[in-house]
């Protein structure tokens, strides 16, 4: 089943201990779609400027990603500049230029309206809600957010959460959203705000899925992260996790407990690949056999037998 | 097979968000022995003062722990006071009084000399080495250390590492010991110093075992930590991990790869129990069926099928 994703398609200038890249293709919707495209059909809603040309278009085309919902407009694309020199787990933002994103009004192509899965990447919750309401037919809606929206746009964010089936955020965001430092209690509080499933990402320590395994039993499932010899660039790892996770779910005929568990592993697998090169380089070169080989590696890394 | 452990038997005054306890029985050798005693015979080498009486002795006796190597001497036992009000993952030390520990000269009872497993808990590396050399017959030696010895007693510590089969430390200590922030690279560097197996403990995120699965293949295995609803007191969680891990290994007829994996899970299980009450309270009340039930819970938490 196909996924529609709304989010940023952008340019990133990135500095890490491994080096520096200027204006590489980035943005949450880009990482998400590339990762999800290995599992299912993906359709993107975004806005770009005149600096987005055939070369960038070709990155999506190579993975059969539908870009009819990427609006081209006068001006420059969203731009982000950050570094990980201090800490590979957390970017220091040097510069953010919203550019054409400042006046983004998501438009949903008619051809997208039969998508059964919807992913609301990290953008203004007002826009997330608008897209959600414009696609009432979807079966499963997942979303992401960040500290900025949690702190300063809480009422709008709470409205979005009511319409989400799955929320994917990191530890700090979960604790901030719940106002509770204990992760189990924070997870319960966040789920009470709407999403029946919550994925908390722990960076290099993997991720935990909190959901009800049946009507009475709350359960948790942990996916590891691969211990990486070299983290070249962590940009987009969380969005790639979301793409692998949601892409795998969308590829399944039925959302069984086993499907949710495997989705967590595929999320972690895609996040680990994203870190191996700058920007989207690794996701562009990836193959499904490589993905499944790493999935098996993750199983060996955690399974007793 | 029996384990001999050398380390501190102490009193701790502890403050956490859940409350405060004055002078509860603590010390690395205490937590380690209680945890390991659910798997195998344990013998302790330590020193205590006149404040250590029948009530404390009974805690060890209830778990059939051999205390003939606990020397009683004039003065007060080792005392530590700390709080976890800021951060449940890291104690703030308020006071340390070495007391009788300052002149500790480990004496090994003749009855301990057939122990095949030796655990060198976190004490002065000079003492660790002395005990190691006095017990040449042991089959497997594991040890712990801390930032203080890594920073200020490096030459003595390096001598200890040469004689260790397994080192158990936390992330920060592994990175500090290796002088490398990448955990995979740090693990390799630490293992080059002696220990063929390295367990890196990640606190609430579990632990990773690095060892060679055969002569050519380096492998890693991850055990989760239980997402705990309430962490009452994290004191001794690392020592309890070590006790569960090493106790399980000592109980096995052969150290197969599967035995190492299960040992990691039992370590994590014992660490999680230790946090549920103040001091050693939970370990004192524990039963083997509870331990195995949690082991199975950990399997469900991480296994795909």
């Amino acid at each position: 089943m196909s996924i529609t994703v709304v989010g940023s398609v952008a340019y990133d200038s990135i500095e890490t201990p491994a080096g520096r890249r200027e204006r590489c293709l980035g943005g949450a919707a880009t990482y998400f779609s590339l990762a999800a495209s290995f599992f299912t059909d993906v359709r993107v809603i975004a806005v770009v400027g005149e600096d987005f040309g055939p070369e960038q278009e070709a990155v999506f085309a190579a993975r059969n990603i539908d870009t009819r919902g990427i609006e081209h407009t006068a001006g420059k694309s969203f731009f982000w500049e950050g570094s990980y020199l201090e800490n590979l787990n957390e970017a220091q933002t040097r510069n953010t230029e919203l550019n054409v994103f400042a006046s983004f009004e998501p438009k949903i192509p008619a051809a997208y309206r039969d998508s059964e899965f919807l992913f609301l990447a990290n953008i203004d919750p007002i826009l997330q809600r608008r897209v959600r309401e414009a696609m009432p037919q979807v079966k499963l809606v997942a979303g992401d957010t960040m500290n900025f929206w949690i702190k300063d746009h809480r009422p709008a964010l709470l409205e979005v959460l009511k319409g989400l089936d799955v929320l994917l955020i990191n530890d700090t965001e979960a604790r901030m959203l719940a106002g509770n430092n204990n992760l189990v209690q924070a997870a319960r509080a966040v789920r009470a705000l709407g999403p029946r499933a919550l994925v908390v990402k722990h960076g290099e320590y993997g991720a935990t899925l909190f959901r009800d395994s049946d009507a009475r039993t709350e359960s948790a499932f942990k996916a590891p992260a691969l211990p990486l010899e070299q983290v070249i660039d962590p940009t987009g790892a969380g969005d790639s996790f979301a793409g692998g996770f949601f892409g795998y779910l969308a590829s399944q005929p039925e959302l069984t407990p086993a499907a949710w568990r495997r989705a967590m592993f595929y999320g972690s697998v895609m996040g680990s690949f994203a870190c191996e090169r700058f920007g989207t380089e690794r996701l562009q070169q990836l193959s499904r056999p490589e993905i499944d080989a790493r999935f098996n590696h993750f199983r060996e890394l955690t399974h007793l037998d």
Side-chain angles (χ1 to χ4, degrees), chain A:
Chain A
M1 282 175 275
S2 76
I3 300 176
T4 288
V5 50
V6 59
S8 59
V9 170
Y11 287 98
D12 295 335
S13 288
I14 302 160
E15 188 164 10
T16 82
R20 200 181 149 77
R21 287 293 185 284
E22 303 296 334
R23 295 184 61 76
C24 37
L25 179 63
T30 306
Y31 283 101
F32 177 92
S33 337
L34 289 172
S37 71
F38 290 93
F39 304 92
T40 194
D41 292 334
V42 186
R43 300 153 168 182
V44 188
I45 300 170
V47 62
V48 294
E50 294 147 324
D51 48 5
F52 185 94
E55 194 189 327
Q56 289 73 39
E57 187 68 46
V59 172
F60 292 87
R63 297 287 328 143
N64 284 316
I65 297 164
D66 194 331
T67 56
R68 284 176 290 178
I70 299 185
E71 182 187 350
H72 293 251
T73 182
K76 290 174 77 178
S77 299
F78 184 101
F79 172 74
W80 177 80
E81 183 176 358
S83 88
Y84 302 84
L85 295 182
E86 298 287 310
N87 181 352
L88 270 171
N89 290 309
E90 201 180 323
Q92 298 272 45
T93 294
R94 287 180 181 159
N95 187 17
T96 303
E97 296 170 10
L98 287 177
N99 298 327
V100 298
F101 220 79
S103 51
F104 180 34
E105 293 279 349
K107 293 171 196 70
I108 300 158
Y112 285 18
R113 294 197 178 265
D114 63 352
S115 277
E116 287 180 297
F117 284 70
L118 174 63
F119 187 75
L120 309 170
N122 168 33
I123 52 172
D124 186 334
I126 289 174
L127 301 183
Q128 290 181 313
R129 188 181 174 192
R130 206 173 292 160
V131 174
R132 172 69 188 92
E133 289 176 348
M135 296 187 73
Q137 86 294 345
V138 292
K139 273 177 41 178
L140 201 74
V141 189
D144 186 8
T145 190
M146 70 184 290
N147 49 8
F148 174 68
W149 310 114
I150 295 171
K151 274 194 298 199
D152 300 337
H153 295 73
R154 194 174 177 92
L157 179 61
L158 291 179
E159 285 304 313
V160 172
L161 293 180
K162 287 181 196 166
L164 282 191
D165 297 299
V166 190
L167 176 67
L168 296 97
I169 49 182
N170 68 30
D171 294 62
T172 312
E173 291 157 356
R175 292 180 163 122
M176 187 187 289
L177 184 52
N180 189 323
N181 272 328
N182 180 284
L183 201 58
V184 179
Q185 292 173 16
R188 192 171 304 137
V190 169
R191 293 178 57 217
L193 299 174
R196 60 195 166 88
L198 171 67
V199 176
V200 182
K201 294 170 287 179
H202 315 306
E204 65 173 314
Y205 300 117
T208 307
L209 167 68
F210 296 92
R211 62 186 283 274
D212 295 336
S213 53
D214 58 46
R216 288 161 306 134
T217 320
E218 192 180 63
S219 77
F221 181 70
K222 283 176 170 279
L226 192 67
L228 283 175
E229 176 96 19
Q230 270 204 302
V231 173
I232 298 296
D233 173 17
T235 309
D239 302 312
S240 304
F241 181 106
F245 171 83
F246 210 52
Y248 180 78
L249 284 182
S251 75
Q252 294 303 292
E254 203 188 336
L255 297 185
T256 62
W260 284 91
R261 288 166 176 249
R262 295 175 70 89
M264 287 292 289
F265 266 55
Y266 277 113
S268 228
V269 162
M270 299 310 288
S272 77
F273 279 122
C275 299
E276 290 185 349
R277 302 259 199 294
F278 273 99
T280 59
E281 284 170 25
R282 187 69 180 97
L283 297 184
Q284 289 185 46
Q285 292 156 359
L286 204 54
S287 72
R288 184 63 194 253
E290 285 180 297
I291 292 169
D292 289 323
R294 183 158 296 180
F295 182 96
N296 289 331
H297 185 156
F298 272 58
R299 181 196 288 264
E300 282 169 30
L301 192 65
T302 53
H303 281 46
L304 289 166
D305 311 302

